[in-house]
Amino acid sequence: MPKSTHKILDTLIIGAGISGIGAAIKLIETGINDFLILEKFEDLGGTWRDNTYPGCACDVPSAIYSYSFAQKPDWSRAFAGQAEILDYVRHTASEYGINPFIRYGRNVENAQWDEKEHLWKVTTNAETYYANKVISCVGYLHEPIIPNLPGLNVFNGEIFHSSRWDHSIDLSNKRVAVIGTGASAIQFVPEIQPQVKELILFQRTPQWILPKPDHAIPDIESSFFKLPFTLQGWRDTLFNGLEGFGLGFRRPILLKGLQKAAEAYIRYAIPDENLRKKVTPDYTLGCKRVLLSSNYYSALNHSNVDVQPTAVKEIKGNTIVGTNGVEREVDIIILGTGFYVTDNPISKIVKGATGSTLADVWQGSPIAYRGTTISGFPNFFIVLGPNLGIGNNSAFIVIESQINYIMSAIKTMRKKGLTKVDVKADKQAAYNRVVQEELQGTVWNTGGCSSYYIDVNGRNSVAFPWSTYKMVELLKRFDIGSYSIA
Ligand code: N01
């Protein structure tokens, strides 16, 4: 590598959420202290910092919603709330000494690979940084989708997205419309329903929902989990149990029984025949992420709730017009419309060896080798990358598996004195051919729904087609033979 005059870091991490903090902890463990985390906001925590909507909580059991190396025996609930999870992330960052490595208020605007120097030049709104490696930890549920609806930008009332909840707006006695009925909406709808005068839910597609076995965890249970091996044993049990769902996603016939249970739950929870019809999906359970809630359907039964099974056509003044022609005048609109998943904005600013961005190369269909490295983008690692979505288990498992792989790559580079690793295009293509073949029979591809798993080209760029065990195995160690090296 030619000599550069800039201060050069070993690694830059983009994003101080669960992935970024985890990567930093493991870098230090690997003996690398020559790194920084660039965080665009003024606080860490990622999705758990952004999402403060009422009722925001985990839909994965808390016992497995933590790093394997920083387990927490004393969650207050079986499915922890946002504040407790954010506290956990903050506490872990501080316990492992990560805070001094974070540079807040640094929005990455451009990241360019320098083929001569074997360096990434990363430009932010504040400063420019240089590093040999970049680990993107920006997540894929981060950039809110604000739908491009005619009249939305001149709506006369208040409007905000669920992930940017405006707590200064008082919802009491207001006419509130919610657009979107995904994982976020089903959590906040039961919380706001008692406050508002009218709640109009614009539901483009109903979701399959199962009851959520949430409960407060008594002290005695937490004390038990402080005994050696008990928490690990419980984590293993939950992990293996949730893998059963994964098997169903890959062999949809196995989900029939669960779908019957979900149908029975609708019958149990909703007395009104007409409302039942509106909320019953016509696609196979699992095609969209299966949701858990024990209070969403009961909230819909109240007389101040009006479920409109329609997409939204436009906004006229204070009136929302559905594509079915329905018109409802409201004071406030809450967008529960989700995130840019397969068109993550980071792809537009990361430029590889040829100067093309990830977005140029991907053309709407994100693709990576083992979900982590991209040919032509040397020394760039993407956590929660393409085709690693599991939907049935904790995201921590995916994140930690990828961090293992990345740390193994970094150790290999150090051991062999390498300054560049770039996955070979044919290895990347062969891996993804198999991924796509394996996805063919899964519920995500065959279940008859549209979901954020499927990109603009109709390709599934999100789901992982095998078990989580296989993912852990696949990402256990860096396979240098698949890479061009220098
Ligand atoms: O977003 P979504 P979310 N007009 O994409 C609708 C994670 N999460 O924020 O289904 C009208 O699921 C869209 O309709 P349709 C979790 O991974 C985790 O709720 O596309 N409607 C849908 O109903 C989850 O999967 C936790 O037809 C429009 C909704 O908006 C992910 O975040 C908790 C529309 C979007 O649903 C995203 O969840 C919460 C339009 N123009 C969330 N555009 C945990 O507990 C979109 N919609 C860990």
Side-chain angles (χ1 to χ4, degrees):
M1 180 165 55
K3 274 230 159 338
S4 170
T5 51
H6 318 288
K7 155 114 184 92
I8 298 165
L9 295 160
D10 182 84
T11 303
L12 273 170
I13 296 172
I14 309 177
I18 287 171
S19 313
I21 301 293
I25 292 171
K26 291 294 164 182
L27 273 179
I28 294 175
E29 231 175 77
T30 307
I32 294 173
N33 288 289
D34 186 17
F35 73 92
L36 288 175
I37 306 181
L38 305 178
E39 167 55 54
K40 76 171 161 181
F41 292 125
E42 295 299 334
D43 194 5
L44 55 77
T47 195
W48 297 103
R49 170 207 57 214
D50 293 347
N51 286 275
T52 61
Y53 59 76
C56 181
C58 197
D59 56 12
V60 169
S62 318
I64 51 170
Y65 204 77
S66 59
Y67 302 103
S68 62
F69 53 84
Q71 296 182 16
K72 180 172 160 62
D74 55 354
W75 290 107
S76 67
R77 303 196 65 81
F79 292 82
Q82 172 264 342
E84 195 174 9
I85 300 171
L86 183 57
D87 265 5
Y88 164 77
V89 183
R90 282 205 182 112
H91 176 81
T92 309
S94 140
E95 199 182 329
Y96 283 82
I98 302 308
N99 295 326
F101 293 92
I102 308 177
R103 296 291 173 272
Y104 290 108
R106 304 297 197 281
N107 185 21
V108 173
E109 292 171 345
N110 192 50
Q112 169 74 62
W113 172 250
D114 182 335
E115 182 59 31
K116 262 212 314 258
E117 304 254 351
H118 288 185
L119 283 183
W120 281 96
K121 179 182 179 190
V122 176
T123 313
T124 72
N125 55 321
E127 279 154 274
T128 297
Y129 298 86
Y130 298 84
N132 180 239
K133 306 166 196 81
V134 169
I135 309 177
S136 167
C137 294
V138 301
Y140 58 81
L141 297 167
H142 173 58
E143 285 294 330
I145 295 179
I146 310 298
N148 188 14
L149 295 169
L152 190 72
N153 53 357
V154 287
F155 172 62
N156 288 338
E158 311 276 9
I159 181 161
F160 57 88
H161 188 274
S162 60
S163 69
R164 303 285 184 269
W165 196 273
D166 189 339
H167 293 275
S168 70
I169 295 175
D170 183 9
L171 303 179
S172 345
N173 287 317
K174 297 280 172 31
R175 298 165 303 174
V176 177
V178 173
I179 302 181
T181 50
S184 303
I186 71 148
Q187 291 188 336
F188 69 73
V189 160
E191 301 297 319
I192 64 172
Q193 172 273 321
Q195 293 170 43
V196 305
K197 186 170 164 200
E198 281 174 48
L199 185 57
I200 302 132
L201 296 186
F202 285 88
Q203 171 202 269
R204 191 164 67 179
T205 317
Q207 300 265 7
W208 285 112
I209 301 174
L210 292 167
K212 185 174 187 177
D214 190 21
H215 57 271
I217 295 180
D219 288 348
I220 182 136
E221 198 176 316
S222 306
S223 310
F224 174 71
F225 284 139
K226 286 176 187 154
L227 298 173
F229 310 117
T230 51
L231 184 52
Q232 187 56 52
W234 181 227
R235 282 167 64 99
D236 292 345
T237 308
L238 286 168
F239 175 85
N240 292 328
L242 290 172
E243 274 307 280
F245 276 103
L247 191 63
F249 294 155
R250 298 188 295 278
R251 310 258 180 290
I253 188 107
L254 300 176
L255 292 170
K256 279 219 152 103
L258 202 58
Q259 186 165 321
K260 289 262 175 276
E263 283 163 2
Y265 180 46
I266 296 175
R267 286 196 297 278
Y268 163 81
I270 301 181
D272 179 67
E273 186 61 38
N274 190 30
L275 180 57
R276 276 187 203 163
K277 267 201 200 119
K278 288 184 193 171
V279 300
T280 304
D282 61 359
Y283 56 86
T284 310
L285 176 142
C287 184
K288 285 174 181 283
R289 187 183 158 96
V290 180
L291 306 184
L292 298 180
S293 171
S294 298
N295 56 6
Y296 177 68
Y297 287 146
S298 50
L300 304 190
N301 289 327
H302 287 268
S303 57
N304 65 339
V305 181
D306 174 12
V307 177
Q308 284 298 332
T310 177
V312 173
K313 186 171 149 227
E314 60 177 326
I315 322 286
K316 288 196 296 198
N318 268 52
T319 302
I320 304 193
V321 185
T323 45
N324 64 352
V326 71
E327 299 202 356
R328 288 286 180 276
E329 203 177 296
V330 296
D331 306 307
I332 296 166
I333 298 177
I334 304 175
L335 300 169
T337 40
F339 303 89
Y340 289 100
V341 175
T342 52
D343 40 6
N344 194 318
I346 187 93
S347 65
K348 298 192 182 80
I349 54 173
V350 176
K351 296 179 186 135
T354 63
S356 301
T357 62
L358 281 171
D360 293 335
V361 172
W362 284 346
Q363 291 294 309
S365 288
I367 184 168
Y369 178 68
R370 300 190 180 185
T372 311
T373 50
I374 303 118
S375 184
F377 293 78
N379 300 5
F380 181 80
F381 304 92
I382 185 162
V383 179
L384 295 175
N387 289 108
L388 288 180
I390 45 176
N392 62 303
N393 224 316
S394 169
F396 275 88
I397 296 164
V398 183
I399 292 168
E400 280 196 48
S401 303
Q402 288 194 271
I403 292 175
N404 267 342
Y405 186 80
I406 298 165
M407 294 307 137
S408 171
I410 292 176
K411 281 186 213 159
T412 307
M413 288 175 78
R414 276 206 303 181
K415 204 163 123 204
K416 295 188 179 293
L418 305 175
T419 54
K420 175 182 157 183
V421 291
D422 187 7
V423 68
K424 293 174 185 162
D426 60 332
K427 294 283 181 189
Q428 178 177 300
Y431 170 76
N432 282 285
R433 247 192 320 275
V434 182
V435 165
Q436 291 304 318
E437 273 162 28
E438 294 284 324
L439 282 170
Q440 286 316 307
T442 63
V443 71
W444 306 297
N445 286 35
T446 63
C449 74
S450 77
S451 76
Y452 64 69
Y453 287 60
I454 309 297
D455 63 37
V456 284
N457 303 313
R459 179 177 174 280
N460 187 336
S461 305
V462 172
F464 183 70
W466 299 290
S467 70
T468 315
Y469 306 111
K470 173 140 178 176
M471 179 184 298
V472 172
E473 201 48 45
L474 203 62
L475 294 167
K476 208 163 212 156
R477 66 189 66 79
F478 183 64
D479 48 327
I480 193 166
S482 301
Y483 288 77
S484 306
I485 55 174

